[in-house]
Coordinates of all heavy atoms in Angstrom, one line a residue:
M1 N 130.9 132.4 109.9 CA 129.5 132.0 110.1 C 129.4 130.7 110.8 O 130.0 129.7 110.4 CB 128.8 131.9 108.7 CG 128.6 133.3 108.1 SD 127.3 133.2 106.8 CE 128.2 132.2 105.6
K2 N 128.7 130.7 112.0 CA 128.7 129.5 112.8 C 127.3 129.1 113.2 O 126.4 129.9 113.2 CB 129.6 129.7 114.0 CG 131.1 129.9 113.7 CD 131.9 130.0 114.9 CE 133.4 130.1 114.5 NZ 134.2 130.1 115.7
L3 N 127.2 127.8 113.6 CA 125.9 127.3 114.1 C 125.8 127.7 115.5 O 126.8 127.8 116.3 CB 125.9 125.8 113.9 CG 126.1 125.3 112.5 CD1 126.4 123.8 112.5 CD2 124.9 125.6 111.6
S4 N 124.6 127.8 116.0 CA 124.4 128.2 117.4 C 124.3 127.0 118.3 O 123.4 126.1 118.1 CB 123.1 129.0 117.5 OG 122.7 129.1 118.8
R5 N 125.1 126.9 119.3 CA 125.1 125.8 120.3 C 123.8 125.8 121.0 O 123.2 124.8 121.4 CB 126.3 125.9 121.2 CG 126.3 124.8 122.2 CD 126.7 123.5 121.6 NE 128.1 123.5 121.3 CZ 128.7 122.6 120.5 NH1 128.0 121.6 119.9 NH2 130.0 122.6 120.2
K6 N 123.3 127.1 121.3 CA 122.0 127.2 122.1 C 120.9 126.4 121.3 O 120.2 125.7 122.0 CB 121.7 128.7 122.2 CG 120.4 129.0 122.9 CD 120.1 130.5 122.9 CE 119.4 130.8 121.5 NZ 119.0 132.2 121.4
W7 N 120.8 126.7 120.0 CA 119.7 126.0 119.3 C 119.9 124.5 119.2 O 119.0 123.7 119.2 CB 119.5 126.6 117.9 CG 118.8 127.9 118.0 CD1 119.4 129.2 117.8 CD2 117.5 128.2 118.4 NE1 118.4 130.1 118.1 CE2 117.2 129.6 118.4 CE3 116.4 127.3 118.7 CZ2 116.0 130.1 118.8 CZ3 115.2 127.9 119.1 CH2 115.0 129.2 119.1
A8 N 121.2 124.1 119.1 CA 121.5 122.6 119.0 C 121.0 122.0 120.3 O 120.4 120.9 120.3 CB 123.0 122.4 118.8
R9 N 121.2 122.7 121.4 CA 120.8 122.1 122.7 C 119.3 122.1 122.8 O 118.7 121.1 123.4 CB 121.4 122.9 123.9 CG 122.9 122.6 124.0 CD 123.6 123.2 125.2 NE 125.0 122.7 125.2 CZ 125.9 123.2 126.0 NH1 125.6 124.2 126.8 NH2 127.1 122.7 126.1
I10 N 118.7 123.1 122.4 CA 117.2 123.2 122.4 C 116.6 122.0 121.6 O 115.7 121.3 122.0 CB 116.7 124.5 121.9 CG1 117.0 125.6 123.0 CG2 115.2 124.5 121.7 CD1 116.8 127.0 122.5
V11 N 117.2 121.8 120.4 CA 116.7 120.7 119.5 C 117.0 119.3 120.2 O 116.1 118.5 120.2 CB 117.4 120.8 118.2 CG1 117.1 119.5 117.3 CG2 117.0 122.0 117.4
C12 N 118.1 119.2 120.9 CA 118.4 117.9 121.6 C 117.4 117.7 122.7 O 116.9 116.6 122.8 CB 119.8 118.0 122.3 SG 121.2 117.8 121.2
V13 N 117.0 118.7 123.4 CA 116.0 118.6 124.5 C 114.7 118.2 123.9 O 114.0 117.3 124.5 CB 116.0 119.9 125.3 CG1 114.8 119.9 126.3 CG2 117.2 120.1 126.1
L14 N 114.3 118.9 122.8 CA 113.0 118.6 122.2 C 112.9 117.1 121.7 O 111.9 116.4 121.9 CB 112.7 119.5 121.1 CG 112.4 121.0 121.5 CD1 112.4 121.9 120.3 CD2 111.0 121.0 122.2
L15 N 114.0 116.6 121.1 CA 114.0 115.3 120.7 C 114.0 114.3 121.8 O 113.3 113.2 121.8 CB 115.3 115.0 119.8 CG 115.3 115.8 118.5 CD1 116.5 115.5 117.7 CD2 114.1 115.6 117.6
A16 N 114.7 114.6 122.9 CA 114.7 113.8 124.1 C 113.3 113.7 124.7 O 112.8 112.6 125.1 CB 115.7 114.3 125.1
L17 N 112.6 114.9 124.7 CA 111.2 114.9 125.2 C 110.3 114.1 124.3 O 109.4 113.4 124.8 CB 110.7 116.4 125.3 CG 111.2 117.2 126.4 CD1 110.9 118.6 126.3 CD2 110.7 116.7 127.8
A18 N 110.5 114.1 123.0 CA 109.7 113.3 122.1 C 109.8 111.8 122.4 O 108.9 111.1 122.4 CB 110.1 113.6 120.6
V19 N 111.1 111.4 122.6 CA 111.3 110.0 123.0 C 110.6 109.7 124.3 O 110.0 108.6 124.5 CB 112.8 109.7 123.0 CG1 113.1 108.3 123.6 CG2 113.5 109.8 121.7
A20 N 110.7 110.6 125.3 CA 110.1 110.4 126.6 C 108.6 110.2 126.4 O 108.0 109.3 127.1 CB 110.5 111.5 127.5
F21 N 108.0 111.0 125.6 CA 106.5 110.9 125.4 C 106.2 109.7 124.7 O 105.1 109.1 124.9 CB 106.0 112.2 124.7 CG 105.6 113.2 125.6 CD1 106.4 114.2 126.1 CD2 104.2 113.3 126.1 CE1 106.0 115.2 127.0 CE2 103.8 114.2 127.0 CZ 104.7 115.2 127.5
A22 N 107.1 109.2 123.8 CA 106.8 108.0 123.0 C 106.7 106.8 123.9 O 106.0 105.9 123.7 CB 107.8 107.8 121.9
V23 N 107.6 106.8 125.0 CA 107.6 105.6 125.9 C 106.6 105.8 127.1 O 106.4 104.9 127.8 CB 109.0 105.3 126.4 CG1 109.9 105.0 125.2 CG2 109.6 106.4 127.3
L24 N 106.1 107.0 127.2 CA 105.2 107.3 128.4 C 104.0 106.4 128.5 O 103.8 105.8 129.6 CB 104.7 108.8 128.3 CG 103.8 109.3 129.4 CD1 104.6 109.4 130.7 CD2 103.1 110.6 129.0
P25 N 103.3 106.1 127.4 CA 102.1 105.2 127.6 C 102.6 103.8 128.0 O 101.9 103.2 128.8 CB 101.5 105.1 126.2 CG 102.0 106.3 125.5 CD 103.4 106.6 126.0
M26 N 103.7 103.3 127.5 CA 104.2 102.0 127.9 C 104.6 102.0 129.4 O 104.3 101.1 130.1 CB 105.3 101.6 127.0 CG 104.9 101.0 125.7 SD 106.3 100.5 124.7 CE 106.9 102.0 124.1
A27 N 105.3 103.1 129.8 CA 105.7 103.2 131.1 C 104.5 103.3 132.1 O 104.5 102.6 133.1 CB 106.6 104.4 131.3
A28 N 103.5 104.0 131.7 CA 102.3 104.2 132.5 C 101.6 102.8 132.7 O 101.2 102.5 133.7 CB 101.4 105.2 131.9
Y29 N 101.6 102.1 131.6 CA 100.9 100.8 131.6 C 101.7 99.8 132.5 O 101.0 99.1 133.3 CB 100.8 100.3 130.1 CG 100.1 98.9 130.0 CD1 98.7 98.9 130.0 CD2 100.9 97.7 130.0 CE1 98.1 97.7 129.9 CE2 100.2 96.5 129.9 CZ 98.8 96.5 129.9 OH 98.2 95.3 129.8
H30 N 103.0 99.7 132.3 CA 103.7 98.7 133.1 C 104.0 99.1 134.5 O 104.0 98.3 135.4 CB 105.1 98.5 132.4 CG 104.9 97.7 131.1 ND1 104.6 96.4 131.1 CD2 105.1 98.1 129.8 CE1 104.5 96.0 129.9 NE2 104.8 97.0 129.1
L31 N 104.2 100.4 134.8 CA 104.5 100.8 136.2 C 103.3 101.1 137.0 O 103.2 100.7 138.2 CB 105.4 102.1 136.1 CG 106.7 101.9 135.4 CD1 107.5 103.3 135.4 CD2 107.6 100.9 136.1
A32 N 102.3 101.7 136.4 CA 101.1 102.1 137.2 C 99.9 101.3 136.8 O 98.8 101.5 137.4 CB 100.9 103.6 137.0
G33 N 100.0 100.5 135.8 CA 98.8 99.7 135.4 C 97.7 100.5 134.8 O 96.6 100.1 134.7
A34 N 98.1 101.7 134.2 CA 97.1 102.6 133.6 C 96.7 102.0 132.3 O 97.5 101.7 131.4 CB 97.8 104.0 133.4
R35 N 95.4 101.8 132.2 CA 94.8 101.3 130.9 C 94.0 102.3 130.1 O 93.4 102.0 129.2 CB 93.9 100.1 131.2 CG 94.7 98.8 131.5 CD 94.0 97.8 132.3 NE 94.9 97.0 133.1 CZ 95.5 95.9 132.7 NH1 95.3 95.6 131.4 NH2 96.3 95.2 133.4
S36 N 94.0 103.5 130.7 CA 93.2 104.6 130.0 C 93.9 104.9 128.6 O 95.1 105.0 128.5 CB 93.2 105.8 130.9 OG 92.8 106.9 130.1
P37 N 93.0 105.1 127.6 CA 93.6 105.5 126.3 C 94.1 106.9 126.3 O 94.9 107.3 125.4 CB 92.4 105.3 125.4 CG 91.2 105.4 126.2 CD 91.6 104.8 127.6
D38 N 93.8 107.6 127.3 CA 94.4 109.0 127.4 C 95.9 109.0 127.4 O 96.5 109.9 126.9 CB 93.9 109.7 128.7 CG 92.4 110.0 128.7 OD1 91.8 109.8 127.7 OD2 91.9 110.3 129.8
W39 N 96.5 108.0 128.0 CA 97.9 107.9 128.1 C 98.5 107.7 126.7 O 99.5 108.3 126.3 CB 98.4 106.7 128.9 CG 98.3 107.0 130.4 CD1 97.3 106.6 131.2 CD2 99.1 107.8 131.2 NE1 97.5 107.1 132.5 CE2 98.6 107.8 132.5 CE3 100.3 108.6 130.9 CZ2 99.2 108.5 133.5 CZ3 100.9 109.3 131.9 CH2 100.4 109.2 133.2
A40 N 97.9 106.9 125.9 CA 98.3 106.7 124.5 C 98.2 108.0 123.7 O 99.1 108.4 122.9 CB 97.6 105.5 123.8
V41 N 97.0 108.6 123.9 CA 96.8 109.9 123.1 C 97.8 110.9 123.5 O 98.5 111.6 122.7 CB 95.4 110.4 123.4 CG1 95.2 111.8 122.8 CG2 94.4 109.4 122.8
A42 N 98.1 111.1 124.8 CA 99.0 112.1 125.3 C 100.4 111.7 124.8 O 101.2 112.6 124.4 CB 99.0 112.1 126.9
G43 N 100.8 110.4 124.8 CA 102.1 110.0 124.4 C 102.3 110.3 122.9 O 103.3 110.9 122.5
V44 N 101.3 110.0 122.1 CA 101.4 110.3 120.6 C 101.5 111.8 120.3 O 102.3 112.2 119.6 CB 100.2 109.6 119.9 CG1 100.2 110.1 118.4 CG2 100.4 108.1 119.9
L45 N 100.6 112.5 121.0 CA 100.5 114.0 120.7 C 101.9 114.6 121.2 O 102.4 115.4 120.5 CB 99.4 114.6 121.5 CG 98.0 114.4 120.9 CD1 96.9 115.1 121.8 CD2 97.9 114.9 119.5
G46 N 102.3 114.2 122.4 CA 103.6 114.8 122.9 C 104.8 114.4 122.0 O 105.6 115.3 121.6
A47 N 104.8 113.1 121.6 CA 106.0 112.7 120.8 C 106.0 113.4 119.4 O 107.0 114.0 119.0 CB 105.9 111.2 120.6
V48 N 104.8 113.5 118.8 CA 104.7 114.1 117.5 C 105.0 115.6 117.6 O 105.7 116.2 116.8 CB 103.3 113.8 116.8 CG1 103.1 114.7 115.6 CG2 103.2 112.4 116.5
G49 N 104.4 116.2 118.6 CA 104.6 117.7 118.8 C 106.0 118.1 119.1 O 106.5 118.9 118.4
F50 N 106.7 117.4 120.0 CA 108.1 117.7 120.3 C 109.0 117.4 119.1 O 109.9 118.1 118.8 CB 108.6 117.0 121.5 CG 108.1 117.6 122.8 CD1 107.2 117.0 123.7 CD2 108.4 118.9 123.1 CE1 106.8 117.6 124.8 CE2 108.0 119.6 124.3 CZ 107.1 118.9 125.1
L51 N 108.7 116.2 118.4 CA 109.5 115.8 117.3 C 109.4 116.9 116.2 O 110.4 117.3 115.6 CB 109.1 114.5 116.8 CG 110.0 113.8 115.7 CD1 111.3 113.5 116.3 CD2 109.3 112.5 115.2
S52 N 108.2 117.3 115.9 CA 108.1 118.3 114.8 C 108.7 119.6 115.2 O 109.3 120.3 114.4 CB 106.6 118.4 114.3 OG 105.7 118.4 115.4
A53 N 108.5 120.0 116.4 CA 109.1 121.3 116.9 C 110.6 121.2 116.8 O 111.3 122.1 116.3 CB 108.7 121.6 118.3
G54 N 111.2 120.0 117.1 CA 112.6 119.8 117.0 C 113.1 119.9 115.6 O 114.1 120.5 115.3
V55 N 112.4 119.2 114.7 CA 112.8 119.2 113.3 C 112.7 120.6 112.7 O 113.6 121.1 112.0 CB 111.9 118.2 112.5 CG1 112.0 118.4 111.0 CG2 112.2 116.8 112.9
V56 N 111.6 121.3 113.0 CA 111.4 122.7 112.4 C 112.5 123.6 112.9 O 113.1 124.3 112.1 CB 110.0 123.2 112.9 CG1 109.9 124.7 112.6 CG2 108.9 122.5 112.1
L57 N 112.8 123.6 114.2 CA 113.9 124.4 114.8 C 115.2 124.1 114.2 O 116.1 124.9 114.0 CB 113.9 124.4 116.3 CG 112.7 125.0 117.0 CD1 112.8 124.9 118.5 CD2 112.6 126.5 116.6
R58 N 115.4 122.8 114.0 CA 116.7 122.4 113.4 C 116.9 122.9 112.0 O 117.9 123.5 111.6 CB 116.8 120.8 113.4 CG 118.1 120.3 112.8 CD 118.1 118.8 112.7 NE 119.2 118.4 111.9 CZ 119.4 117.2 111.3 NH1 118.4 116.3 111.5 NH2 120.4 117.0 110.6
L59 N 115.8 122.8 111.2 CA 115.9 123.3 109.8 C 116.0 124.8 109.8 O 116.6 125.4 108.9 CB 114.6 122.9 109.1 CG 114.5 121.4 108.8 CD1 113.2 121.1 108.1 CD2 115.7 120.9 107.9
K60 N 115.4 125.5 110.8 CA 115.4 126.9 110.8 C 116.7 127.5 111.4 O 117.3 128.5 110.8 CB 114.3 127.4 111.8 CG 113.8 128.8 111.6 CD 112.4 128.9 112.3 CE 112.2 130.3 112.9 NZ 112.0 131.4 112.1
H61 N 117.3 126.9 112.4 CA 118.4 127.5 113.1 C 119.7 126.8 112.9 O 120.8 127.3 113.2 CB 118.1 127.5 114.6 CG 117.0 128.5 114.9 ND1 117.2 129.8 114.9 CD2 115.7 128.2 115.3 CE1 116.0 130.4 115.2 NE2 115.1 129.5 115.4
L62 N 119.7 125.5 112.4 CA 121.0 124.8 112.2 C 121.3 124.5 110.8 O 121.9 123.5 110.5 CB 120.9 123.5 113.0 CG 120.8 123.6 114.6 CD1 120.7 122.3 115.2 CD2 121.9 124.4 115.1
R63 N 120.9 125.3 109.9 CA 121.2 125.1 108.5 C 122.7 125.4 108.2 O 123.3 126.2 108.9 CB 120.4 126.1 107.6 CG 119.1 125.6 107.2 CD 118.4 126.5 106.2 NE 117.1 126.1 106.0 CZ 116.8 125.0 105.3 NH1 117.8 124.4 104.7 NH2 115.6 124.6 105.1
C64 N 123.2 124.7 107.2 CA 124.5 125.0 106.7 C 124.6 126.5 106.4 O 123.9 127.0 105.6 CB 124.9 124.2 105.5 SG 126.4 124.7 104.7
P65 N 125.6 127.2 107.0 CA 125.7 128.7 106.8 C 126.2 129.0 105.4 O 126.1 130.2 105.0 CB 126.7 129.1 107.9 CG 127.1 128.0 108.6 CD 126.6 126.7 108.0
Y66 N 126.8 128.0 104.7 CA 127.4 128.3 103.4 C 126.4 128.1 102.3 O 126.3 129.0 101.4 CB 128.6 127.5 103.2 CG 129.6 127.6 104.3 CD1 129.8 126.7 105.3 CD2 130.3 128.8 104.5 CE1 130.6 126.8 106.4 CE2 131.2 129.0 105.5 CZ 131.4 128.0 106.5 OH 132.2 128.2 107.5
C67 N 125.8 127.0 102.2 CA 124.9 126.7 101.1 C 123.4 126.7 101.5 O 122.5 126.8 100.7 CB 125.2 125.4 100.4 SG 124.9 123.9 101.4
G68 N 123.1 126.5 102.8 CA 121.8 126.5 103.3 C 120.9 125.4 102.9 O 119.7 125.3 103.1
R69 N 121.5 124.3 102.3 CA 120.7 123.2 101.7 C 120.5 122.1 102.7 O 119.7 121.2 102.5 CB 121.3 122.7 100.4 CG 120.8 123.6 99.3 CD 121.4 123.0 98.0 NE 122.9 123.1 98.0 CZ 123.6 122.6 97.1 NH1 123.1 121.9 96.1 NH2 124.9 122.8 97.1
S70 N 121.4 122.0 103.7 CA 121.3 120.9 104.7 C 121.3 121.4 106.1 O 121.8 122.5 106.3 CB 122.4 119.9 104.4 OG 123.6 120.4 105.0
A71 N 120.8 120.6 107.0 CA 120.9 121.0 108.4 C 121.9 120.2 109.1 O 122.1 119.0 108.8 CB 119.5 120.8 109.0
A72 N 122.6 120.8 110.1 CA 123.6 120.1 110.8 C 123.0 119.2 111.9 O 121.9 119.4 112.3 CB 124.6 121.1 111.5
I73 N 123.8 118.2 112.3 CA 123.4 117.4 113.4 C 123.5 118.2 114.7 O 124.6 118.8 114.9 CB 124.3 116.1 113.5 CG1 124.1 115.3 112.2 CG2 124.1 115.3 114.8 CD1 125.2 114.3 112.0
P74 N 122.5 118.2 115.5 CA 122.6 119.0 116.7 C 123.5 118.3 117.7 O 123.3 117.1 118.1 CB 121.2 119.0 117.3 CG 120.4 117.9 116.6 CD 121.2 117.6 115.3
Q75 N 124.6 118.9 118.1 CA 125.5 118.4 119.1 C 125.4 119.1 120.4 O 125.5 120.3 120.4 CB 127.0 118.5 118.5 CG 127.3 117.5 117.4 CD 128.8 117.7 117.0 OE1 129.3 118.7 117.0 NE2 129.4 116.5 116.7
W76 N 125.4 118.4 121.5 CA 125.3 119.0 122.8 C 126.5 119.8 123.1 O 126.5 120.8 123.6 CB 125.0 118.0 123.9 CG 124.6 118.6 125.2 CD1 125.5 118.8 126.2 CD2 123.3 119.1 125.6 NE1 124.8 119.5 127.2 CE2 123.5 119.6 126.9 CE3 122.1 119.2 124.9 CZ2 122.4 120.2 127.6 CZ3 121.0 119.8 125.6 CH2 121.2 120.3 126.9
R77 N 127.7 119.2 122.8 CA 129.0 119.8 123.0 C 129.9 119.4 121.9 O 129.5 118.6 121.0 CB 129.6 119.5 124.4 CG 129.7 118.0 124.6 CD 130.4 117.7 125.9 NE 130.0 116.3 126.2 CZ 129.4 116.0 127.4 NH1 129.1 116.9 128.2 NH2 129.0 114.8 127.6
T78 N 131.1 120.0 121.9 CA 132.0 119.7 120.8 C 132.3 118.3 120.7 O 132.6 117.6 121.6 CB 133.3 120.5 121.1 OG1 133.0 121.8 121.4 CG2 134.3 120.4 119.9
G79 N 132.1 117.8 119.5 CA 132.4 116.3 119.2 C 133.1 116.2 117.9 O 134.0 116.9 117.6
K80 N 132.6 115.2 117.2 CA 133.2 114.9 115.9 C 132.9 116.1 114.9 O 131.9 116.7 115.0 CB 132.4 113.7 115.3 CG 133.2 112.9 114.3 CD 132.4 111.5 114.2 CE 132.3 111.0 112.8 NZ 131.4 111.7 111.9
R81 N 134.0 116.4 114.2 CA 133.8 117.5 113.2 C 132.7 117.2 112.2 O 132.7 116.1 111.7 CB 135.1 117.8 112.5 CG 135.1 118.7 111.3 CD 134.7 120.2 111.7 NE 135.5 120.6 112.8 CZ 135.0 121.2 114.0 NH1 133.7 121.4 114.1 NH2 135.7 121.5 114.9
L82 N 131.8 118.2 112.0 CA 130.7 117.9 111.1 C 131.0 118.6 109.7 O 131.7 119.6 109.7 CB 129.4 118.6 111.6 CG 128.9 118.1 113.0 CD1 127.8 119.0 113.4 CD2 128.5 116.7 112.8
Y83 N 130.6 117.9 108.7 CA 130.8 118.5 107.3 C 129.4 118.5 106.6 O 128.6 117.6 106.8 CB 131.7 117.6 106.5 CG 133.1 117.7 107.0 CD1 133.6 116.8 107.9 CD2 134.0 118.8 106.6 CE1 134.9 116.9 108.4 CE2 135.3 118.9 107.1 CZ 135.7 117.9 108.0 OH 137.0 118.0 108.5
C84 N 129.2 119.6 105.9 CA 127.9 119.7 105.2 C 127.9 118.6 104.0 O 128.9 118.6 103.3 CB 127.8 121.1 104.6 SG 126.4 121.2 103.5
P85 N 126.9 117.8 103.9 CA 126.8 116.8 102.9 C 126.6 117.4 101.5 O 126.9 116.8 100.5 CB 125.7 115.9 103.3 CG 124.8 116.7 104.2 CD 125.7 117.7 104.9
C86 N 126.2 118.7 101.4 CA 125.9 119.3 100.1 C 127.1 120.0 99.6 O 127.5 119.9 98.4 CB 124.7 120.3 100.3 SG 123.2 119.5 100.6
C87 N 127.8 120.8 100.4 CA 128.9 121.6 99.9 C 130.3 121.2 100.5 O 131.3 121.8 100.2 CB 128.7 123.1 100.2 SG 128.6 123.6 101.9
D88 N 130.3 120.2 101.4 CA 131.5 119.6 101.9 C 132.3 120.6 102.8 O 133.5 120.3 103.1 CB 132.4 119.1 100.8 CG 132.2 117.7 100.5 OD1 131.6 117.0 101.4 OD2 132.6 117.2 99.5
R89 N 131.7 121.7 103.2 CA 132.5 122.6 104.1 C 132.3 122.2 105.5 O 131.3 121.6 105.9 CB 132.1 124.0 103.9 CG 132.3 124.5 102.5 CD 132.0 125.9 102.3 NE 133.0 126.7 103.0 CZ 133.2 128.0 102.7 NH1 132.5 128.6 101.8 NH2 134.1 128.7 103.4
A90 N 133.4 122.4 106.4 CA 133.3 122.1 107.8 C 132.3 123.0 108.5 O 132.3 124.2 108.2 CB 134.7 122.2 108.4
L91 N 131.5 122.4 109.4 CA 130.5 123.2 110.1 C 131.0 123.4 111.5 O 131.5 122.5 112.1 CB 129.2 122.5 110.1 CG 128.6 122.2 108.7 CD1 127.3 121.3 108.9 CD2 128.3 123.5 108.0
F92 N 130.9 124.6 112.0 CA 131.4 124.9 113.4 C 130.3 125.5 114.2 O 129.5 126.3 113.7 CB 132.5 125.9 113.3 CG 133.8 125.4 112.6 CD1 134.0 125.6 111.3 CD2 134.7 124.6 113.4 CE1 135.1 125.1 110.7 CE2 135.8 124.1 112.7 CZ 136.0 124.4 111.4
Y93 N 130.3 125.2 115.5 CA 129.4 125.8 116.4 C 130.0 127.0 117.0 O 131.3 127.2 116.9 CB 129.0 124.8 117.5 CG 127.9 123.9 117.1 CD1 128.2 122.6 116.7 CD2 126.6 124.3 117.1 CE1 127.2 121.7 116.3 CE2 125.6 123.4 116.7 CZ 125.9 122.1 116.3 OH 125.0 121.3 115.9
D94 N 129.2 127.9 117.6 CA 129.8 129.2 118.0 C 130.7 129.2 119.2 O 131.2 130.2 119.6 CB 128.6 130.2 118.2 CG 127.5 129.7 119.1 OD1 127.7 128.6 119.7 OD2 126.5 130.3 119.2
D95 N 130.8 128.0 119.9 CA 131.7 127.9 121.0 C 133.0 127.1 120.6 O 133.8 126.7 121.4 CB 131.0 127.2 122.2 CG 130.5 125.8 121.9 OD1 130.5 125.4 120.7 OD2 130.1 125.1 122.8
E96 N 133.1 126.9 119.3 CA 134.3 126.2 118.8 C 135.3 127.1 118.0 O 134.8 128.0 117.4 CB 133.9 125.0 117.8 CG 133.1 123.9 118.5 CD 132.6 122.9 117.4 OE1 132.1 123.3 116.4 OE2 132.8 121.7 117.7
S97 N 136.5 126.8 118.1 CA 137.5 127.4 117.3 C 137.3 126.9 115.8 O 137.1 125.8 115.6 CB 138.9 127.2 117.8 OG 139.8 127.3 116.8
D98 N 137.5 127.8 114.9 CA 137.3 127.4 113.5 C 138.7 127.0 112.9 O 138.8 126.8 111.7 CB 136.5 128.3 112.6 CG 137.1 129.7 112.7 OD1 138.1 129.9 113.3 OD2 136.5 130.6 112.1
E99 N 139.7 126.8 113.7 CA 140.9 126.2 113.2 C 140.8 124.7 113.1 O 140.3 124.1 114.1 CB 142.1 126.5 114.1 CG 142.4 128.0 114.3 CD 142.8 128.7 113.1 OE1 143.7 128.1 112.4 OE2 142.4 129.8 112.8
E100 N 141.1 124.1 112.0 CA 141.0 122.7 111.9 C 141.9 122.0 112.9 O 143.1 122.2 112.9 CB 141.3 122.2 110.5 CG 140.9 120.8 110.1 CD 139.4 120.6 110.0 OE1 138.7 121.5 109.5 OE2 138.9 119.6 110.5
G101 N 141.4 121.2 113.8 CA 142.2 120.5 114.8 C 142.7 121.5 115.9 O 143.5 121.1 116.7
G102 N 142.3 122.7 115.9 CA 142.8 123.7 116.9 C 142.2 123.5 118.2 O 141.3 122.7 118.4
S103 N 142.6 124.3 119.2 CA 142.2 124.1 120.5 C 140.8 124.8 120.7 O 140.5 125.7 120.1 CB 143.1 124.7 121.5 OG 143.4 126.0 121.2
Ligands
ZN1 ZN1 126.5 123.4 102.8

């Protein structure tokens, strides 16, 4: 049982978009001199929307396959080995070998 790299990447993209929307009003203000409150509203709505979508998808698709009580950190590609904080089992993505330290 493995975690899906596809969903990890989708969650990464959503979180990046949330950050982008969070800085959008400031960027618009400093770069374009935009003083319209629409920028702040769009920034807050976009940030909250993408953040909640990312959190929901993470909880739905990146749960620990063994105990289901925790969600894995979304990794774009193979990195540090992840362990479930609840059941202590190693978590693997579907493009990784499940041999410890294997290729
Ligand atoms: Zn677990």
Side-chain angles (χ1 to χ4, degrees):
M1 292 199 290
K2 294 184 177 185
L3 302 164
S4 167
R5 181 71 74 194
K6 180 185 79 176
W7 284 110
R9 288 186 173 168
I10 289 171
V11 171
C12 285
V13 169
L14 287 171
L15 295 181
L17 283 170
V19 172
F21 268 87
V23 300
L24 179 72
M26 279 183 282
Y29 181 82
H30 287 290
L31 298 178
R35 281 157 209 279
S36 161
D38 292 351
W39 283 103
V41 172
V44 168
L45 286 181
V48 170
F50 283 117
L51 189 63
S52 39
V55 168
V56 166
L57 290 178
R58 181 186 168 196
L59 290 176
K60 199 165 146 71
H61 294 285
L62 296 179
R63 272 188 186 286
C64 170
Y66 304 106
C67 69
R69 275 182 296 170
S70 75
I73 295 164
Q75 286 183 323
W76 190 264
R77 56 177 157 239
T78 307
K80 207 163 139 289
R81 171 63 48 230
L82 300 173
Y83 292 93
C84 173
C86 296
C87 66
D88 265 346
R89 297 185 72 160
L91 302 173
F92 295 96
Y93 279 99
D94 52 10
D95 60 351
E96 292 176 314
S97 157
D98 51 6
E99 299 295 317
E100 194 70 38
S103 57

